[in-house]
Amino acid sequence: MGVGPSREDDFLYDNCDCHGTGLRDLQGFHRLRNREGAAIEAEFTDGKLVMCLWISPMKDRYYGSFLDGRLHGEGKLEWADGRVFEGSFDKDCPVKGSMRLSNSETFEVVYD
């Protein structure tokens, strides 16, 4: 799917906006931004991204859990065009949940 930060390393060249700390040393809540303009407000444990609000340069948004720098677990993905998927993710891919289209039509989905 490629919607979230493709790897935690994508943020290595930027330090935390609020503390100037490098990614591998982060603990707790921090804000980061990469060269492309994507921003995250995230919770880190032992330098690993575990939960965050991610905003792409095109204003797509994801709030939920991460594993190894990927959308993984429960989360909500909102596209700038108004579509929303809320449910479970596995390695950046939606697995099962609710999809709302920009015209407000809503349905349950399961991806193989």
Side-chain angles (χ1 to χ4, degrees):
M1 177 177 244
V3 293
S6 58
R7 306 172 317 196
E8 289 178 16
D9 291 344
D10 289 345
F11 292 95
L12 278 179
Y13 43 80
D14 286 317
N15 291 330
C16 173
D17 288 351
C18 45
H19 300 103
T21 306
L23 178 67
R24 298 206 191 290
D25 299 321
L26 294 179
Q27 294 288 339
F29 178 82
H30 296 274
R31 287 186 209 89
L32 300 154
R33 185 174 303 276
N34 70 9
R35 288 179 232 170
E36 289 75 37
I40 61 172
E41 295 182 358
E43 183 74 25
F44 288 84
T45 300
D46 298 326
K48 297 277 187 192
L49 176 64
V50 292
M51 183 70 113
C52 90
L53 168 62
W54 171 82
I55 304 170
S56 79
M58 298 178 326
K59 304 302 181 212
D60 299 329
R61 302 167 71 93
Y62 173 78
Y63 180 77
S65 59
F66 276 78
L67 180 65
D68 296 328
R70 298 173 135 190
L71 286 61
H72 193 84
E74 295 301 308
K76 182 176 183 179
L77 179 60
E78 300 174 349
W79 287 270
D81 66 8
R83 292 175 296 145
V84 177
F85 174 83
E86 188 167 3
S88 58
F89 291 81
D90 183 26
K91 299 177 189 147
D92 280 343
C93 296
V95 176
K96 181 179 180 180
S98 176
M99 175 66 96
R100 187 180 74 225
L101 303 179
S102 51
N103 67 4
S104 296
E105 181 183 356
T106 303
F107 49 93
E108 296 300 308
V109 294
V110 177
Y111 295 97
D112 294 335

